Amino acid sequence: MTNRLLDLTREKPLLADGAMGTMLHARGVAFDKCFDELNLTQPAAVGEIHRAYIEAGAQLIVTNSFGANRYKLSQHGLEKKVGEINAAGVAIARRVIDAAVGAGSRLPLLIAGDVGPLGVRLAPFGRVKPEQAYAAFHEQIAALVEAGADAILVETVSDLYEITEAVRAAKAIGTVPVIASMTFTRDDRTLLGDNPSKVGAELAKLGADFHNAISVDQVVAKA
């Protein structure tokens, strides 16, 4: 795959931005609100956070779409706005990047479409079937890619079954790199007992270009 992100990371590491929800909460948004909906209702607030990260030196800007899948959005009656919310998240990031470039920024600035856990349990431990999880991830990722994301970031997933469906969906779309990260407990296992070596091997089987255990509580793979 020829892609600007992959080309840049072969030259040197890229600095990504940080938390979005924490920053929105610090600006007065309650934790029981739908942060993703702010792409539609308060785009300026989201843009200000992107701008602050760029000014701090971030090059990979992550969209405000961590929970913008049909399952999590349904908790706020927004499940029919998956495409709109994700597209708006990319558009906000793009506007801020364009403004930074126009103001003279010389750093390469790229957008990662953020995809978090579905917020439901997958079979055999829950009621959601793998094909349903795949469909939900595909819906969100397709919206992010169509809107112009340079990469997809699947993050903070604790279930290997779930991240498998997310990466499969992203690979099926197949036009941008995928960064997939999992969280581990203090005993270096996922909540279902998988260790980093198994996770890395499974992500590689899904087509990862490279993977690396970067700490005891996170494994990153890029595809």
Side-chain angles (χ1 to χ4, degrees), residues 6 8 18 20 48 74 84 104 106-108 115 126 137 152 175 190 196:
L6 293 178
L8 289 171
M20 173 60 72
E48 288 173 3
S74 69
E84 185 179 0
R106 296 184 179 181
L107 290 175
V115 178
F137 281 125
I152 293 297
T175 56
T190 67

Side-chain angles (χ1 to χ4, degrees), residues 37-207:
E37 187 185 17
L38 299 181
N39 293 341
L40 305 179
T41 61
Q42 298 185 47
V46 176
E48 288 173 3
I49 294 171
H50 288 322
R51 187 176 301 108
Y53 278 126
I54 290 174
E55 291 174 352
Q59 296 170 260
L60 186 62
I61 307 306
V62 180
T63 59
N64 178 41
S65 55
F66 178 80
N69 64 73
R70 68 175 69 164
Y71 290 104
K72 282 194 172 182
L73 291 179
S74 69
Q75 299 171 13
H76 304 276
L78 297 168
E79 63 273 18
K80 294 183 179 180
K81 293 190 174 184
V82 171
E84 185 179 0
I85 289 173
N86 282 280
V90 175
I92 294 168
R94 184 64 67 192
R95 285 197 297 270
V96 174
I97 286 175
D98 288 346
V101 172
S105 175
R106 296 184 179 181
L107 290 175
L109 299 171
L110 302 174
I111 297 172
D114 198 17
V115 178
L118 296 177
V120 292
R121 296 295 297 274
L122 270 63
F125 305 100
R127 296 182 178 181
V128 176
K129 298 178 181 179
E131 57 267 29
Q132 293 174 311
Y134 176 92
F137 281 125
H138 194 283
E139 178 183 30
Q140 181 183 8
I141 293 169
L144 291 166
V145 171
E146 184 177 352
D150 299 299
I152 293 297
L153 169 63
V154 184
E155 62 156 318
T156 325
V157 180
S158 59
D159 181 348
L160 185 56
Y161 291 105
E162 185 173 4
I163 201 169
T164 294
E165 299 307 323
V167 175
R168 284 184 60 241
K171 295 293 288 183
I173 295 169
T175 56
V176 300
V178 178
I179 305 168
S181 73
M182 288 198 68
T183 58
F184 293 81
T185 61
R186 291 183 181 275
D187 63 354
D188 300 339
R189 297 289 189 275
T190 67
L191 292 178
L192 299 181
D194 298 311
N195 62 38
S197 296
K198 179 180 178 180
V199 170
E202 291 298 322
L203 291 176
K205 289 179 183 178
L206 292 170

